[in-house]
């Protein structure tokens, strides 16, 4: 029972061993010694709460917040001791905040429950007792055989057993998991591939041993042990055997698979777990301010307690005749009495801590995040992608970025590869109109008779190109050259993992062959755009890849079909930076083809034009092209047998399989013959140069972190404006030792100080970076901080995260932002303060793991300069205003104690204490924090330097905080002493001679305070909409209406009603009205005078831009409705009234600029250089 309760509360995770054994169809051994392993069911639980744990878990999470916990303590103190205010004054606001937050979180969780129920209740077919049984998805157990039909989604992680194809293959798309739309081929083991019916599957006796579930989508290790005729057959299982939950079956009628991971142990569920919490700089400042105000609160309570006992030192005040002590009070402990009085004062002043601040900030962030998704300027029409907000907690952090770390491929570039050039056996070629054209005559032909290969079709009549002699050498130079080109493009056509769309092949038999189709009819799909570009280039040249299965690959060479047996695929990994295939040619010869980065392929080569190819690769890189090298090796029968044996042992190992495979791959991929190199172009995205330049103008330092080689990365950096031609480029590359690296860093530091160059750029490669980070972090950081642009090339994913970590923990503690589009960028996106995912062509892993996702790099400009700027200004004002209005609220209460002998008499009525933060002053600041635009968005985009005004948390600096606090205290003094001197000396201000009492005095102070803090918010607002008018003036009206009803009626449920008729009497006095108007004017006049002097004497860039905007007659009521040039004041007022009542139409409004106005259109793009048409709004 106790274990069930713990599981329901989520505190009892199941025990797991290192591996799991799964008996297919749950046919357990019958020897009686086996104890079945316990596996979870197939329910997906994305919800956070259950019916049983919602209340305790939600309360626990909410009371972890300092302010909530503090008010809980205050509430308990009010219950336990005699305090001047009712427990309701603290309990009701606390209950309101807790309830609102709980309802919001509960509603969101209820939606998740509904989604879970829909998924868990989906119908599925399971093989049980020799037949197909229809059941619900949540009832699938580990070991069940599941049947999936075409276009259905896999309900669990399944190991493929068979399909409707004889070779046991099927095609799936994982777009919902990683965003890749290409078709992936999965294979069943041969022994189960033939079991295509329910009856035959019922005879299968097998077990699967595999690793415990992990989140990596592309990693799976296991083996299947099949018992046939009393013999055990062991087959390795890898990622190609695993069908992931959430993926969809395509181009295959049906498949059967056995469930190995279910429910919350599927890879999809493990990838959706919450990331580590990021905290913004504003939140940290807010917590600091809370601590300061807590110190002020405790100080006020201590001062009041001490002064009370000082006052009571005189006997006449210790026990006056009208307030005699009881016997119990006389005999009580002095220490306990002191503590009790201290706690009572603490309760009296506790509203200086704004309890509603947290819930208002949470609502502001949640509601404000929708504006990013609604912004059409950062919507990408071509891909139909709008900006996504994965976490709203960091909106204001977008306005504080000091460093941008960006990936190159797919982030700055389109990740759309086009084959441009290649080097074959030391000769460089360009592709022009489907023809390979050399840069000059070949070494053996001065006439240039082979200066181009016209798609190889002019070689049709050469006798050496036959299917029986695929790679046979020829003594003639011309034939030898043709053979080298033939071999090169065959390597390109065979060494890849490209798939072909099989839409046309349904019903064409079991194989995927499409030999009757022309190259233009073939549609290739690849997880890497480079591979697709190369295979398409080979098809244009004349060697067309037709299709592949588990065992064969087929190419059409000059119209003739050749089928190659696919023996092994050595998958690509980021450590080796290459991939290989082992194939058997139609002639029976076995070949190893290798493709990879030149740094990983050239050292493995012992033959071919290595040096010439290296020179060509460097030339390609200088043009900004992406390069790959191709090599091959012919294998003898003995060599292949050794390779096959080692690969089988490594692939069937359950322990350290990856390390063993890496060793075998190193053994295989050596002593290669170099064929040549390829060069593909990845063009820059639109407006990348303008965006980078704008970021630099905003004071943001930009680092490019890429895995590309040095020359390619530098070329792209120059073309995109990251590096300038006039910039002094420093290099820290090819360092071999710590001492060499340290000396080089010292040289660079000296050069920076000695060179009279405004800007420096630094290039670092991955190897040198590892040495620099090992023992010379401070020296490396000193060099980097003095460089305006840094380029890190040949970077591993973890190195990217380490670099960002190094910047984050530097003494300046700058705010970092990382931008990337691929799975290799996830680590740096999660490490940075703000992570931006590009929804590109390398999948959706980066977008899923990011805080924000955008479709193009150019949208970063609008995201930071406009949304980031607005969000920061809004929330900074919100935080400061909350503390200001609570200082105004509670300071008169503290001053009042000096006039009531510190008797803990409250100045305000309990209902006013409760509703001040909840009703009377909450809506104006909330609407301000959602809609305020202190400057036109177009100006912010066109003047990136305005971003510097809010950098380094400027609006929440100690100086600004002290100003708002002093302003609050000064206004509070005016409220209290103004009321005291204006009506305190003459209390008979009513027409009937009745005197004012203490509740009337307190109500006067409260009325002046509500009006002042509300109008103060109006003075801070520059962007007025009908909603602002409604909540600002509506809040003041609501206060008066509520007070009239509250004090004008005897409410039967109230035990005592101190405020009966008080407010009505107060408003009936002309002197009171005069006092209210005079004090409100006096309070706001001081603030207005200060703002005027600051703007005239020390204006910020933003204030100058506001003045320019005003002088240019851009007086927008919102982003649609603007005043026309030459309007009269009455017309403006009429237009405003139309807007307030919702009748303003953009069609009859024009916006005017003079020719000198520096404004540009940004409605659909980021930075343009064309002036705005005066006829547009």
């Amino acid at each position: 029972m106790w274990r069930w309760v713990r599981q329901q509360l989520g505190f009892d995770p199941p025990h797991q061993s290192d591996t799991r054994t799964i008996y297919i169809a749950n046919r357990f051994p019958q020897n009686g010694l086996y104890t079945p392993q316990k596996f979870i069911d197939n329910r997906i639980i994305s919800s956070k709460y259950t019916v049983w744990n919602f209340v305790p878990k939600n309360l626990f999470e909410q009371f972890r917040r300092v302010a909530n916990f503090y008010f809980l303590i205050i509430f308990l103190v009010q219950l336990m001791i005699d305090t001047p205010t009712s427990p309701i004054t603290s309990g009701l606001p606390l209950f309101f905040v807790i309830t609102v937050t709980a309802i919001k979180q509960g509603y969101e969780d209820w939606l998740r429950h509904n989604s879970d129920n829909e998924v868990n209740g989906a119908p599925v077919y399971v093989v049980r007792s020799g037949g197909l049984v229809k059941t619900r998805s949540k009832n699938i157990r580990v070991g069940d055989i599941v049947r999936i039909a075409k276009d259905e989604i896999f309900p669990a992680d399944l190991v493929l057993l068979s399909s409707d194809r004889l070779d046991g293959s099927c095609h799936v798309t994982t777009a919902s998991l990683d965003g890749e739309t290409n078709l992936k081929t999965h294979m069943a083991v041969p022994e189960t591939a033939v079991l295509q019916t329910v009856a035959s599957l019922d005879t299968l006796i097998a077990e699967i041993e595999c690793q415990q579930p992990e989140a990596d989508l592309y990693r799976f290790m296991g083996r299947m042990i099949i018992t046939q005729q009393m013999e055990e057959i062991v087959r390795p299982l890898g990622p190609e055997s695993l069908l992931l939950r959430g993926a969809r079956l395509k181009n295959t009628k049906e498949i059967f698979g056995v469930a190995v991971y279910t429910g919350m142990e599927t890879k999809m569920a493990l990838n959706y777990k919450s990331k580590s919490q990021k905290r913004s700089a504003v939140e940290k400042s807010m917590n600091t301010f809370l601590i300061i105000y807590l110190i002020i609160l405790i100080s006020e309570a201590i001062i009041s307690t001490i002064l009370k006992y000082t006052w009571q030192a005189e006997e006449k005040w210790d026990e006056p005749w009208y307030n005699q002590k009881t016997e119990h009070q006389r005999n009580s402990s002095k220490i306990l009495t002191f503590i009790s009085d201290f706690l009572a004062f603490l309760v009296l002043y506790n509203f200086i801590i704004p309890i509603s601040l947290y819930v208002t900030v949470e609502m502001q962030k949640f509601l404000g995040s929708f504006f990013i998704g609604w912004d059409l300027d950062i919507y990408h029409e071509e891909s139909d992608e709008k900006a996504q907000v994965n976490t709203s907690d960091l909106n204001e952090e977008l306005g504080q970025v000091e460093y941008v770390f960006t990936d190159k491929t797919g982030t700055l570039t389109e990740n759309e590869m086009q084959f441009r050039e290649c080097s074959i056996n030391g000769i460089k070629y360009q592709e022009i109109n489907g023809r390979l054209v050399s840069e000059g005559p070949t070494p053996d032909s001065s006439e240039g008779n082979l200066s181009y290969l016209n798609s190889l079709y002019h070689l049709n009549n050469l006798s050496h190109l036959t299917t029986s002699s695929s790679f046979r050498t020829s003594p003639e130079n011309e034939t030898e050259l043709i053979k080298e080109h033939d071999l090169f493009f065959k390597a390109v056509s065979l060494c890849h993992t490209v798939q072909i769309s099989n839409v046309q092949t349904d019903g064409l038999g079991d194989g995927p062959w499409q030999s009757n189709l022309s190259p233009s009819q073939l549609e290739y799909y690849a997880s890497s755009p480079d591979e697709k570009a190369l295979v398409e280039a080979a098809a244009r040249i004349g060697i067309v890849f037709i299709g592949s299965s588990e065992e064969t690959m087929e190419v059409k060479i000059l119209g003739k079909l050749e089928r190659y047996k696919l023996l092994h695929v050595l998958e690509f990994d980021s450590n080796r930076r290459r991939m290989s295939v082992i194939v058997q040619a139609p002639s029976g010869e076995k070949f190893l083809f290798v493709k990879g980065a030149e740094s990983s392929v050239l050292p493995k080569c012992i033959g071919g034009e290595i040096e010439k190819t290296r020179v060509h690769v460097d030339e390609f890189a200088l043009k900004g092209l992406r390069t790959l090298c191709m090599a091959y090796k012919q294998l003898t029968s003995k060599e292949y047998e050794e390779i096959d044996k080692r690969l089988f042992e490594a692939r069937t190992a359950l322990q350290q399989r990856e390390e063993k495979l890496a060793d075998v791959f190193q053994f295989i991929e050596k002593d290669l013959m170099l064929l040549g190199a390829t060069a593909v172009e990845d063009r820059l995205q639109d407006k990348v140069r303008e965006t980078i330049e704008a970021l630099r103008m905003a004071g943001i330092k930009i680092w490019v972190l890429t895995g590309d080689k040095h020359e390619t990365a530098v070329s792209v950096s120059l073309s995109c404006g990251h590096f300038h031609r006039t910039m002094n480029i420093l290099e820290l590359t090819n360092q071999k030792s710590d001492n060499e690296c340290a000396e080089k860093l010292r040289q660079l530091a000296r050069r920076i100080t000695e060179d009279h160059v405004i800007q420096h750029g630094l290039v670092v490669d991955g190897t040198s970076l590892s040495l620099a980070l090992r023992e010379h972090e401070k020296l490396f950081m000193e060099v980097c901080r003095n460089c305006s642009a840094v380029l890190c090339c040949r970077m591993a994913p973890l190195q990217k995260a380490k670099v960002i970590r190094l910047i984050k923990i530097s003494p300046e503690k700058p705010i970092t932002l990382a931008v990337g589009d691929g799975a290799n960028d996830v680590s740096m996106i999660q490490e940075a303060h703000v992570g931006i995912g590009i929804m590109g062509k390398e999948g959706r892993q980066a977008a899923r793991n990011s805080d924000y996702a955008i479709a193009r790099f150019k949208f970063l400009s609008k995201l930071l300069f406009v949304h980031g700027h607005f969000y920061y200004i809004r929330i900074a004002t919100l935080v400061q205003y909350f503390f200001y209005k609570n200082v105004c609220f509670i300071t008169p209460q503290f001053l009042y104690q000096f006039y009531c002998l510190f008797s803990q008499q409250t100045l305000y009525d309990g209902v006013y204490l409760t509703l001040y933060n909840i009703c009377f002053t909450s809506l104006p600041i909330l609407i301000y924090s959602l809609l305020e635009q202190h400057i036109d968005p177009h100006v912010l985009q066109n003047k990136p330097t305005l971003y510097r005004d809010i950098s380094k948390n400027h609006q929440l600096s100690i100086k600004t905080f002290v100003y708002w606090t002093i302003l609050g205290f000064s206004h509070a003094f005016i409220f209290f002493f103004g009321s005291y001197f204006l009506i305190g000396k003459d209390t008979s201000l009513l027409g009937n001679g009745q005197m004012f009492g203490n509740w009337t005095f307190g109500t006067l102070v409260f009325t002046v305070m509500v009006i002042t803090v509300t109008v103060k918010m109006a003075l801070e607002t520059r962007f007025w909409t009908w909603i602002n008018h409604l909540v600002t003036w509506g809040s003041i009206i609501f206060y008066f209406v509520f007070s009239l009803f509250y004090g004008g009626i005897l409410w039967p449920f109230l035990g005592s009603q101190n405020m009966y008729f008080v407010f009505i009497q107060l408003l009936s006095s002309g002197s009171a009205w005069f006092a209210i108007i005079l004090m409100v004017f006096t309070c706001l006049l001081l603030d207005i005078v200060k703002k005027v002097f600051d703007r005239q004497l020390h204006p910020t860039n933003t204030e100058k831009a506001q003045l320019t905007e005003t002088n240019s007659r851009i007086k927008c009521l919102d982003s649609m409705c603007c005043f026309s040039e030459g309007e009269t004041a009455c017309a403006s007022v009429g237009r405003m009234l139309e807007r307030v009542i919702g009748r303003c139409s953009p069609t009859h409004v024009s916006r005017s600029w003079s020719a000198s106005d520096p404004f540009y259109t940004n409605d659909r793009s980021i930075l343009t250089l064309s002036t705005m048409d005066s006829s547009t709004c």
Side-chain angles (χ1 to χ4, degrees), residues 566-736:
L566 180 60
L567 302 175
H568 291 288
V569 177
L570 280 58
E571 296 83 2
F572 174 87
D573 64 70
S574 56
N575 294 324
R576 284 172 36 246
R577 300 181 63 81
R578 57 182 179 269
M579 66 91 62
S580 306
V581 294
I582 301 176
V583 297
Q584 182 175 335
S587 61
E589 298 166 305
K590 297 180 177 67
F591 290 88
L592 167 72
F593 289 115
V594 181
K595 175 179 69 179
E598 90 290 341
S599 60
S600 62
V601 173
L602 294 183
K604 301 289 183 180
C605 294
I606 59 172
E609 296 289 346
I610 297 176
E611 291 307 317
K612 288 184 179 179
T613 304
R614 194 190 304 274
V615 171
H616 290 164
V617 166
D618 291 340
E619 291 174 358
F620 295 153
L622 287 173
K623 298 177 183 178
L625 304 178
R626 293 165 60 90
T627 59
L628 288 172
C629 287
M630 309 295 302
Y632 84 104
K633 176 183 178 182
Q634 187 167 349
L635 302 174
T636 64
S637 298
K638 186 176 180 180
E639 286 175 329
Y640 175 72
E641 289 174 3
E642 177 68 15
I643 289 172
D644 189 54
K645 179 183 175 183
R646 291 199 180 196
L647 280 173
F648 179 79
E649 291 174 352
R651 283 174 170 160
T652 53
L654 281 182
Q655 304 295 330
Q656 297 181 324
R657 178 185 292 186
E658 292 179 343
E659 292 82 357
K660 292 178 181 178
L661 279 173
D663 293 339
V664 176
F665 290 169
Q666 292 290 345
F667 169 76
I668 297 171
E669 296 167 332
K670 62 180 182 180
D671 301 334
L672 305 175
M673 298 295 293
L674 183 63
L675 288 170
T678 61
V680 296
E681 181 186 28
D682 187 8
R683 66 185 181 88
L684 287 175
Q685 289 185 16
D686 188 33
K687 296 196 180 298
V688 166
R689 173 181 282 274
E690 292 91 334
T691 304
I692 289 178
E693 187 59 36
L695 292 173
R696 188 175 283 117
M697 291 173 63
I700 298 172
K701 292 189 175 182
I702 304 160
W703 290 35
V704 175
L705 312 179
T706 179
D708 275 351
K709 70 189 305 288
H710 171 267
E711 291 81 6
T712 304
V714 171
S715 175
V716 173
S717 284
L718 287 168
S719 62
C720 72
H722 178 235
F723 284 166
H724 288 296
R725 298 288 176 183
T726 57
M727 188 181 287
N728 185 16
I729 306 298
L730 310 175
E731 292 192 358
L732 181 66
T733 55
N734 302 319
Q735 303 301 303
K736 305 298 184 185

Side-chain angles (χ1 to χ4, degrees), residues 40 89 111 225 286 327 469 500 515 519 571 613 622 635 641 684 837 964 968 974 992 1009 1024 1081 1150 1177:
I40 65 172
T89 59
L111 294 178
I225 304 171
M286 198 164 65
E327 194 64 29
S469 58
I500 296 178
S515 56
E571 296 83 2
T613 304
L622 287 173
L635 302 174
E641 289 174 3
L684 287 175
W964 277 90
I974 294 174
N992 58 5
M1009 177 172 56
W1024 284 91
F1081 179 78
S1150 63
C1177 174

Side-chain angles (χ1 to χ4, degrees), residues 1065-1078:
Q1065 281 187 333
L1066 177 66
L1067 296 186
S1068 67
S1069 169
S1071 301
W1073 281 104
F1074 172 75
I1076 291 171
I1077 295 172
L1078 181 62

Side-chain angles (χ1 to χ4, degrees), residues 496-513:
H496 56 75
T497 56
V498 173
Q499 300 295 328
I500 296 178
S501 173
N502 288 335
V503 176
Q504 306 101 322
T505 64
D506 286 348
L508 291 179
D510 297 316
W513 320 118

Side-chain angles (χ1 to χ4, degrees), residues 16 93 125 200 208 252 300 319 378 384 415 477 540 543 546 643-644 646 679 784 803 811 959 991 1051:
Q16 291 186 345
Y125 287 92
S200 59
I208 293 174
T252 310
E300 288 183 346
E319 194 173 349
I378 50 179
D384 192 28
N415 205 12
N477 289 336
R540 292 193 297 271
I543 300 182
I546 300 299
I643 289 172
D644 189 54
R646 291 199 180 196
C784 290
V803 168
K959 179 182 177 182
W1051 301 98

